[in-house]
Amino acid sequence: MEADIAVVAADLARAVELTMDPAVPQQQRMDAYTACERFKETSPLCAQCGFYLAQCSTMSHFVRHFGLQLMEHCVKYRWNQMSQQEKLFIKENAMKLLCNGIEPSLQEHNHMKDAMSRVVVEMIKREWPQQWPSLLAELNNACMRGESQTELVCFVFLRLVEDVALLQTLESNQRRKDIYQALTSNMEEIFSFFLSLIQDHCNKHKTKIAAGQFQEAAANARVVQVVLLTLTGFVEWVSIQHIMADDGHLLQILYLLLDQESFQMEAAECLLQIVMRKGKVEERKPLLVLFSEDAMQCVFKAVGDTSNGVVDERKYCFLKKLCQLLTGLGTQLCTLWGKDEGVSVRPPCFSDYLEVILAFTRHPSLTLSHYANSLWMAFFKHDQISKDHVFLTFIPKWVQSTAPKIIKVSYPSVRSGAISDTAAYTVIDYDSEEEFAAYFHRCRSDMLDAFRQATLVAPLVTFAYVEEWLTIRIQKSMAELSIECNLLHPTFLEWEALSQVLESILSRILLSTERPSVGSGLRLLDLCLTYEPVDPLLLSTLLSCISALFVFLSMSPAESSASLLPRVLDKIFAALVFSEPGQTKESRSRAVKNVRRHAASLMVKIGQKYPLLLLPVFERIHATVQSLNSDPGQLSKMERVTLQEALLLISNHFCDYERQTKFVEEVIGSGASQWLSMGSEAFMGPREFMAFVGLDRPPVEPSSNDLNGQNRAHITFCVNLFMAVVKRCAWPDDPDRASRGGFVVSRTETGNPVCRNPATPHIMPLLPNLLQLLRVFNALWTPDALALLSDGYKAAHAMLVVDRTNLLGVGSPLPADHLDITRPRNQTPLDRMQHFLTLCHDYSYHILGNAGPSLGRDFYGLPGLAASLISTVFSNLERLSNKWQYITQLYETGRIDDENTDTQEVLEDMLNRTLTREYLDVLKVALVGGSTDSGSLGFDMDQDEAPRPNVLLQTEVSELGSLILRYENTCQSVVLCIFRALFWNDTLASLKATQLAAPVVRLLASDGSLNPDVAAHIMTSVLQGLQMHGQHEGNQGSLLSLGAQVYEILRPNFPNIVDVMLQIPNCSPHELQKLDEKIVANNQKGTKVEKAKKEVFKRITSQLIGRSMGQLFRKEMKIADLPKMELPHRPKPPPLDELLQEGETLCPLFTPSTNHAVVRSDIT
């Protein structure tokens, strides 16, 4: 027998070596692999050969690892069919391998240690504790045999707690409970065992290092590292009493290990898991011991030891872990400080703790600064901590440390090793310029948020810093007026960061209880107005500073604002007409165009935020704008529209309908006449439109020679102008002012005023042409229109590159910077045409979407509005249905898969999914109300967790929804779409449909609108949804709740749905009967979906619920339950009459006496 095993094992060894030999042909390796797998599945000698290979020291580690896999396979899949003798053979030999340990030649192969521990863990999952009570003693004895055996024992514990407590991959609930209880009952001994291992091997490591026995010391170091790794798996879930046992002895050891380079990373990881524990306040409170002086000294020393010399990647990784540890500790403090069960006073060494956090804030690494910033943000938001006087003393230090981090830095082109160089850490943390740019943007955004929050806590501190910074920067800039900047110039980078910090701070000034003096702000504003930069980049940042400081004008007395406001407006208009020598309207550089647009946008911003401040000087602004408009070589069409938008915002505060509507007529006049004339020519049909904009002609380059380009510019100007009017024009918010100003035309039945928009009489005549334009846009997709496209514009309807990359999620180039003149945008005629079509299409729908809330009843009262919308906006939409069917066919035929991500079909699939989700959002608003925000789902799809399905499914249909569902022409289409989306190949669309299905079925059932066929279709759709999307926990939970509700609603009136349920594989009538009983019981207790009913429905549909591809062909593993564990019971207290002495009774207790009175007074 042994000879046979040796022969077979030798063949297996050769096969394994073949599979790992890259020089062997692929087919031969595949044959060898197939032979190994066949042996594993079928051979009765699997365990014997596995042990033979695993213990054979002459074999390679590949072969020995395969031997361990054979043993593990036998335990996982054959254990229940094995005889007791075979089980004993595997157990004894597995423990023999463990006791023999790992040879020195295999010490670096961690996969061998893991495989060996896995064999033991799989046996533990099937036998311990009931049938293997001696396990802990055997593991303890193995540890006494050497360092290698101790490592293996620790790996056994680690893999066991991963399967049972952390990852919970043990599928048998009963066995998981048994092992969990056994671990818990022995936890005190287990922790004591781990601590003794750490202390013992740390001492041995130190002794051997001193003696120069470095190889032997390395073995002890590995043991300590593995023990710490194993402890990390325990501390996350065990009772806090084990962590705090012996006055926090474990924490003391871990903090001391932070100072030892060999163990500091593992110790920090273990401490991090401890401070990140969740739970009740009383369970977290003991962790405040980590604020002790000794603990802080250990941290100080650990930080100091990593701050010397050049950048070391391992030390840097430790610093990041240490920073996470300290921020986690601070998060615990935020939870505990101020709570009744927590702490009401500052913890000891809080000042030292903040010094350490401040050190991380100052660190050159952006990652460390970002970690620390999240904690500062939490402290700023905390009611008690933000008022603590020690914490307040650190805010000036934080401001000085964080503000320089706002200055943009570039990804280094060469690797630097300087310890103070941000670039040295950047190349460690980020692999590309794109990755770093995205992270820096997020990091800076979070730091600016912290400045906003800090201003609410200490406004005088933050303002004083930025006041000094701005003053010094302007003084420096005035001394270098002739400087020319680019986006990487240090002067521009500082100005840009300064403007961002200034805006963040001053945006919260009005919300602060303590405000800086208005005089200081006005002095800064005056200083900005006196600075005259000649570089457009610097001028743009200066405008940002003026915009932020404008708040002080709103806070100042009338006489101060009256003197400064004209100067501010002059500065803005000077920037609006800024130009460099020799430039004309056609030849302006991008930087000049940008600063002019910035000035125009600034007028809109202050017109929106401070309209009452600008109202007294409206005529002056109006006259200036008219003067600029009269010069055809001065303003671009976009600048003209933007300025008109600012004037419209200010005019809203005329509170005089006649004056306002007259002004709107003036603004919209030239554009309206142009629009009407274009409509009669260009919007009659797709052919006329294409000829008007040049789609049917070859592209023209340069753009100045493109005559059709002027037509496109006119359309763009009109669309932008009309959108500005529709969005910005409004009646007064105050009903009294609206009434006095002539805005109120009638009142509702409840007495609320009905107001008219001053733009209504001017916009309404333009809407027919807008609808015609939208009809033309839809008609551009017809075959006839597509055939008219010239060859150069065949791709004109394609998505913009930025939209395409965002939709596909394939990553995009560096974030576009509109100021970046070093990266010229060489737009082709095709690019310009694509941007024109996209902008006009989107803005036209924005106009239509804003017309409802802006124009109000006048818009909805348009004669024939519904018919017009159907014939224009919703024309030619059958192509979308065809596209939906086409995409479905592509999936069914396998022409789209997860790896084929750069095809037109995949792009169309993503568009189709997005459109379907948005359409379901529209149905949600129409049927049940609410917003279309996908965040309202209440969960993240990446988390794969159910979004409280019972809450989602209890929604009621709105009044509008009832009208839609009770109208024959809309009901069928809406209902069929919702239930088709349940099992369409998109998880998010299915989840959105799940929210709508239950209220829809409830309403239709209550109205008696259902028949047996429709009921069967509804139930089938839910089951198909489970089959398609049941693999996702979020979808499965919602669909199960929906299925249970739908069955409950339909079952009493439509018995035929039982036939639908019986079509589920292995569905038993007995289980259906149980579900019927639950429904009857549920009707007696209310309409809430009970957990028990949902569980029954899940059992019924278990064979139907879809599984992921990774689970479809997975070999089933069954673990048999062991006899129930006998837990020790608390002894019952004896009856009271047994405690009474002979002759005693209870009567004297109720008899007044002196003695009893004394006892009662003592208790009191």
Side-chain angles (χ1 to χ4, degrees):
M1 181 68 176
E2 292 182 2
D4 295 339
I5 292 175
V7 172
V8 175
D11 292 339
L12 282 173
R14 283 192 292 271
V16 172
E17 293 290 357
L18 282 176
T19 63
M20 303 303 295
D21 187 353
V24 174
Q26 192 268 345
Q27 185 58 46
Q28 193 173 346
R29 282 188 282 121
M30 179 61 70
D31 293 341
Y33 176 79
T34 304
C36 291
E37 289 300 310
R38 189 186 311 116
F39 177 86
K40 184 191 295 184
E41 296 293 337
T42 61
S43 175
L45 301 177
C46 192
Q48 291 85 344
C49 288
F51 173 67
Y52 183 90
L53 294 175
Q55 55 86 37
C56 188
S57 59
T58 59
M59 301 285 186
S60 69
H61 66 92
F62 299 126
V63 175
R64 299 180 69 179
H65 184 267
F66 180 69
L68 293 170
Q69 283 186 319
L70 291 177
M71 295 180 69
E72 181 186 356
H73 181 84
C74 289
V75 177
K76 290 176 72 172
Y77 301 110
R78 301 185 187 179
W79 193 257
N80 296 336
Q81 291 78 41
M82 283 184 180
S83 65
Q84 194 61 32
Q85 184 179 1
E86 290 175 306
K87 292 180 180 179
L88 194 60
F89 171 82
I90 296 178
K91 176 181 175 257
E92 290 179 349
N93 286 294
M95 295 304 293
K96 180 180 177 181
L97 289 173
L98 188 144
C99 290
N100 290 337
I102 297 288
E103 293 92 335
S105 61
L106 297 178
Q107 280 296 339
E108 299 303 320
H109 297 289
N110 282 332
H111 65 283
M112 290 294 297
K113 302 174 186 177
D114 185 68
M116 196 173 293
S117 65
R118 279 287 176 199
V119 178
V120 180
V121 168
E122 290 301 328
M123 290 191 295
I124 291 174
K125 285 153 67 171
R126 288 156 179 79
E127 298 293 318
W128 188 66
Q130 291 95 322
Q131 296 179 176
W132 197 355
S134 61
L135 170 67
L136 296 182
E138 292 180 40
L139 294 178
N140 186 54
N141 292 335
C143 289
M144 296 179 182
R145 300 173 69 94
E147 290 83 5
S148 174
Q149 292 83 348
T150 306
E151 282 188 72
L152 291 174
V153 168
C154 289
F155 272 115
V156 169
F157 276 112
L158 178 59
R159 302 306 175 215
L160 182 62
V161 297
E162 284 177 346
D163 290 349
V164 173
L166 295 179
L167 306 178
Q168 296 189 4
T169 55
L170 182 55
E171 294 180 354
S172 172
N173 290 331
Q174 186 56 49
R175 287 298 300 135
R176 188 165 65 245
K177 290 178 182 177
D178 290 346
I179 298 173
Y180 192 94
Q181 289 176 355
L183 285 171
T184 303
S185 60
N186 292 282
M187 195 58 68
E188 186 175 346
E189 292 79 6
I190 293 173
F191 263 65
S192 177
F193 167 70
F194 287 150
L195 290 179
S196 65
L197 286 178
I198 293 175
Q199 292 176 298
D200 181 40
H201 287 276
C202 276
N203 293 332
K204 290 180 179 178
H205 177 262
K206 185 177 180 180
T207 303
K208 291 176 182 177
I209 288 291
Q213 301 172 349
F214 299 110
Q215 188 171 355
E216 293 82 354
N220 297 112
R222 281 196 302 270
V223 172
V224 177
Q225 291 166 358
V226 174
V227 174
L228 290 171
L229 179 64
T230 307
L231 264 175
T232 303
F234 277 84
V235 296
E236 186 178 340
W237 57 275
V238 300
S239 172
I240 190 67
Q241 66 184 28
H242 299 298
I243 297 173
M244 305 305 300
D246 298 331
D247 296 327
H249 187 46
L250 169 63
L251 298 178
Q252 295 173 27
I253 291 176
L254 293 175
Y255 261 85
L256 290 173
L257 291 180
L258 292 177
D259 187 32
Q260 300 192 30
E261 187 174 345
S262 300
F263 316 125
Q264 58 185 194
M265 181 66 78
E266 292 77 11
E269 179 63 35
C270 190
L271 280 167
L272 177 61
Q273 294 303 320
I274 292 174
V275 302
M276 296 299 289
R277 284 171 60 99
K278 308 297 182 185
K280 300 178 181 177
V281 171
E282 56 268 22
E283 294 175 354
R284 302 182 184 205
K285 188 175 180 180
L287 296 176
L288 292 183
V289 71
L290 299 178
F291 280 99
S292 66
E293 183 177 354
D294 292 339
M296 287 297 111
Q297 288 300 322
C298 291
V299 172
F300 265 123
K301 196 168 188 309
V303 173
D305 289 345
T306 59
S307 303
N308 302 318
V310 297
V311 176
D312 181 89
E313 190 164 344
R314 190 180 187 284
K315 290 182 178 180
Y316 177 50
C317 290
F318 168 66
L319 268 185
K320 289 194 286 188
K321 193 68 66 177
L322 192 61
C323 186
Q324 289 175 299
L325 162 64
L326 292 172
T327 53
L329 184 59
T331 303
Q332 292 286 5
L333 182 62
C334 289
T335 303
L336 296 170
W337 198 335
K339 296 289 178 63
D340 294 338
E341 306 85 357
V343 293
S344 56
V345 295
R346 182 189 324 112
C349 299
F350 185 54
S351 177
D352 294 338
Y353 171 77
L354 291 177
E355 284 289 356
V356 179
I357 300 298
L358 194 62
F360 282 116
T361 303
R362 293 174 178 144
H363 197 277
S365 165
L366 277 176
T367 304
L368 291 177
S369 299
H370 193 207
Y371 287 162
N373 184 77
S374 64
L375 182 63
W376 290 109
M377 187 70 167
F379 284 168
F380 290 141
K381 290 182 176 181
H382 196 277
D383 290 339
Q384 284 75 31
I385 298 177
S386 61
K387 297 179 177 66
D388 180 76
H389 72 87
V390 171
F391 175 74
L392 291 174
T393 62
F394 277 84
I395 294 182
K397 303 176 186 177
W398 172 82
V399 170
Q400 293 174 354
S401 304
T402 304
K405 304 282 185 181
I406 305 298
I407 299 176
K408 285 184 180 179
V409 292
S410 301
Y411 189 78
S413 56
V414 294
R415 196 179 185 97
S416 170
I419 196 70
S420 60
D421 191 358
T422 300
Y425 299 97
T426 299
V427 294
I428 295 177
D429 286 329
Y430 314 104
D431 294 328
S432 66
E433 188 176 359
E434 292 83 1
E435 183 184 356
F436 172 71
Y439 181 82
F440 182 82
H441 175 76
R442 180 163 62 93
C443 178
R444 190 163 87 147
S445 176
D446 291 342
M447 289 180 178
L448 290 173
D449 281 341
F451 267 105
R452 295 183 187 97
Q453 199 64 35
T455 302
L456 297 177
V457 176
L460 299 185
V461 172
T462 55
F463 178 76
Y465 177 85
V466 80
E467 179 184 23
E468 181 183 3
W469 188 8
L470 180 58
T471 302
I472 294 173
R473 183 61 264 175
I474 291 180
Q475 290 171 353
K476 288 182 180 178
S477 296
M478 285 182 172
E480 47 186 23
L481 282 176
S482 60
I483 189 172
E484 292 185 7
C485 289
N486 58 44
L487 288 180
L488 300 180
H489 196 285
T491 300
F492 167 72
L493 292 176
E494 185 181 356
W495 264 108
E496 193 270 341
L498 170 59
S499 66
Q500 293 289 328
V501 175
L502 183 66
E503 192 280 330
S504 298
I505 291 172
L506 296 185
S507 67
R508 296 296 184 269
I509 284 294
L510 294 179
L511 303 177
S512 305
T513 55
E514 191 178 18
R515 299 177 183 175
S517 68
V518 175
S520 300
L522 294 180
R523 279 194 298 272
L524 279 182
L525 181 59
D526 180 70
L527 195 59
C528 289
L529 295 175
T530 57
Y531 174 44
E532 298 286 348
V534 296
D535 184 86
L537 292 177
L538 297 185
L539 179 57
S540 183
T541 58
L542 181 66
L543 287 178
S544 297
C545 294
I546 292 173
S547 171
L549 291 166
F550 204 89
V551 66
F552 287 105
L553 282 178
S554 66
M555 299 163 57
S556 64
E559 57 273 12
S560 299
S561 61
S563 61
L564 273 176
L565 182 57
R567 294 178 58 200
V568 172
L569 294 175
D570 290 342
K571 191 76 170 182
I572 296 174
F573 282 111
L576 185 67
V577 296
F578 179 86
S579 184
E580 292 183 330
Q583 291 185 351
T584 64
K585 183 177 179 180
E586 289 73 24
S587 63
R588 287 171 187 154
S589 64
R590 280 181 58 194
V592 170
K593 288 180 180 179
N594 287 329
V595 76
R596 293 167 67 99
R597 291 172 185 173
H598 189 172
S601 300
L602 180 54
M603 286 301 302
V604 173
K605 180 180 178 181
I606 61 178
Q608 188 172 21
K609 294 182 68 174
Y610 312 103
L612 296 179
L613 199 60
L614 298 178
L615 190 60
V617 292
F618 174 82
E619 294 301 334
R620 173 179 175 171
I621 299 173
H622 185 203
T624 304
V625 172
Q626 283 185 317
S627 173
L628 292 174
N629 287 338
S630 64
D631 184 356
Q634 190 58 261
L635 297 180
S636 67
K637 283 182 166 54
M638 178 184 293
E639 292 161 359
R640 286 175 56 193
V641 171
T642 308
L643 290 176
Q644 300 289 9
E645 191 174 350
L647 290 171
L648 288 169
L649 286 167
I650 304 172
S651 71
N652 285 337
H653 295 268
F654 288 166
C655 296
D656 182 341
Y657 176 82
E658 294 300 332
R659 183 184 177 192
Q660 228 172 304
T661 192
K662 184 178 179 181
F663 178 70
V664 173
E665 182 182 13
E666 176 191 327
V667 168
I668 209 171
S670 60
S673 58
Q674 198 173 32
W675 179 256
L676 293 174
S677 64
M678 283 190 301
S680 61
E681 175 187 354
F683 304 161
M684 301 304 295
R687 182 184 297 272
E688 292 81 1
F689 178 79
M690 294 174 71
F692 188 74
V693 301
L695 276 170
D696 58 349
R697 300 177 187 178
V700 178
E701 189 67 36
S703 59
S704 57
N705 297 336
D706 186 3
L707 298 179
N708 296 105
Q710 294 299 317
N711 294 337
R712 296 195 297 270
H714 293 324
I715 295 177
T716 303
F717 168 73
C718 292
V719 169
N720 281 324
L721 180 63
F722 301 157
M723 188 172 72
V725 172
V726 171
K727 285 184 66 177
R728 299 306 187 183
C729 287
W731 53 79
D733 295 328
D734 184 1
D736 292 337
R737 289 186 177 182
S739 180
R740 292 196 301 268
F743 293 90
V744 178
V745 292
S746 63
R747 294 190 178 272
T748 64
E749 297 176 355
T750 58
N752 294 321
V754 175
C755 297
R756 54 178 175 170
N757 191 308
T760 300
H762 313 291
I763 288 292
M764 297 292 258
L766 308 177
L767 290 180
N769 276 6
L770 179 70
L771 294 176
Q772 288 298 325
L773 177 61
L774 292 175
R775 182 181 60 80
V776 167
F777 276 128
N778 287 344
L780 290 177
W781 292 91
T782 59
D784 292 342
L786 293 174
L788 291 175
L789 287 171
S790 69
D791 292 338
Y793 287 133
K794 289 294 185 185
H797 298 321
M799 291 182 66
L800 300 177
V801 174
V802 62
D803 294 333
R804 178 188 175 95
T805 54
N806 288 337
L807 188 66
L808 290 175
V810 295
S812 58
L814 285 175
D817 195 324
H818 65 281
L819 294 174
D820 194 349
I821 57 177
T822 63
R823 298 181 180 181
R825 293 177 295 180
N826 297 322
Q827 281 195 335
T828 65
L830 177 61
D831 292 332
R832 289 194 290 270
M833 183 65 77
Q834 283 182 316
H835 280 87
F836 162 73
L837 292 174
T838 302
L839 182 142
C840 286
H841 179 272
D842 291 353
Y843 281 16
S844 297
Y845 277 100
H846 282 305
I847 294 173
L848 200 58
N850 283 281
S854 179
L855 307 183
R857 291 194 174 191
D858 291 319
F859 172 74
Y860 293 111
L862 273 175
L865 176 63
S868 298
L869 291 175
I870 292 172
S871 62
T872 56
V873 176
F874 297 106
S875 63
N876 195 33
L877 293 188
E878 62 273 7
R879 62 187 176 87
L880 298 178
S881 299
N882 298 334
K883 186 67 68 176
W884 196 354
Q885 296 172 4
Y886 170 67
I887 295 296
T888 303
Q889 290 174 0
L890 289 179
Y891 269 102
E892 292 174 351
T893 56
R895 291 171 58 189
I896 293 183
D897 53 51
D898 293 336
E899 296 181 359
N900 190 12
T901 57
D902 195 28
T903 65
Q904 184 62 29
E905 287 84 1
V906 173
L907 183 63
E908 291 178 351
D909 175 48
M910 294 300 299
L911 282 170
N912 206 26
R913 290 171 186 268
T914 303
L915 179 63
T916 304
R917 296 168 188 172
E918 292 178 351
Y919 179 61
L920 288 168
D921 284 337
V922 173
L923 289 182
K924 176 178 179 286
V925 173
L927 295 177
V928 299
S931 69
T932 60
D933 184 11
S934 59
S936 64
L937 290 173
F939 84 117
D940 184 353
M941 285 295 292
D942 294 336
Q943 295 176 357
D944 222 25
E945 295 178 0
R948 301 183 305 279
N950 291 350
V951 176
L952 295 175
L953 298 175
Q954 293 300 323
T955 311
E956 296 296 333
V957 174
S958 65
E959 182 180 356
L960 175 60
S962 300
L963 293 173
I964 293 173
L965 294 175
R966 287 167 180 160
Y967 183 55
E968 183 178 354
N969 292 348
T970 55
C971 177
Q972 183 176 356
S973 299
V974 169
V975 172
L976 288 178
C977 177
I978 291 172
F979 285 96
R980 175 65 180 88
L982 286 177
F983 57 93
W984 191 53
N985 189 24
D986 185 69
T987 53
L988 194 55
S990 174
L991 195 60
K992 290 175 180 285
T994 306
Q995 299 179 64
L996 300 176
V1000 167
V1001 173
R1002 202 178 298 119
L1003 179 73
L1004 295 178
S1006 64
D1007 286 351
S1009 303
L1010 300 176
N1011 58 48
D1013 291 338
V1014 174
H1017 176 77
I1018 290 172
M1019 197 72 240
T1020 302
S1021 298
V1022 176
L1023 297 178
Q1024 287 178 310
L1026 276 171
Q1027 186 177 30
M1028 174 64 74
H1029 302 295
Q1031 59 181 294
H1032 304 289
E1033 289 296 327
N1035 291 79
Q1036 185 188 115
S1038 294
L1039 285 166
L1040 286 172
S1041 293
L1042 173 64
Q1045 274 202 18
V1046 168
Y1047 185 87
E1048 177 185 6
I1049 294 170
L1050 300 179
R1051 177 67 177 88
N1053 299 319
F1054 305 102
N1056 63 311
I1057 67 167
V1058 174
D1059 299 330
V1060 175
M1061 299 294 292
L1062 288 174
Q1063 295 177 30
I1064 300 173
N1066 300 326
C1067 176
S1068 70
H1070 177 67
E1071 289 291 344
L1072 282 177
Q1073 180 63 33
K1074 282 186 179 179
L1075 184 57
D1076 291 340
E1077 293 172 359
K1078 295 290 182 185
I1079 290 174
V1080 173
N1082 183 67
N1083 289 335
Q1084 297 172 357
K1085 293 185 287 185
T1087 59
K1088 185 179 179 181
V1089 179
E1090 294 179 345
K1091 183 179 179 180
K1093 185 174 64 176
K1094 181 179 173 182
E1095 287 299 321
V1096 174
F1097 191 83
K1098 184 176 182 179
R1099 282 201 303 271
I1100 293 172
T1101 57
S1102 59
Q1103 295 295 316
L1104 184 75
I1105 294 176
R1107 293 189 295 173
S1108 64
M1109 186 63 71
Q1111 300 290 323
L1112 283 178
F1113 305 104
R1114 179 181 158 196
K1115 188 177 178 67
E1116 292 294 334
M1117 180 181 65
K1118 294 184 179 179
I1119 299 179
D1121 291 340
L1122 297 181
K1124 192 173 181 179
M1125 293 175 62
E1126 292 294 333
L1127 297 177
H1129 294 285
R1130 293 182 181 177
K1132 291 184 179 181
L1136 185 59
D1137 55 356
E1138 293 183 11
L1139 296 175
L1140 296 174
Q1141 299 179 7
E1142 186 177 353
E1144 278 191 308
T1145 66
L1146 296 176
C1147 296
L1149 294 175
F1150 301 96
T1151 304
S1153 67
T1154 305
N1155 292 337
H1156 295 154
V1158 171
V1159 172
R1160 285 195 296 272
S1161 66
D1162 289 345
I1163 295 174
T1164 305

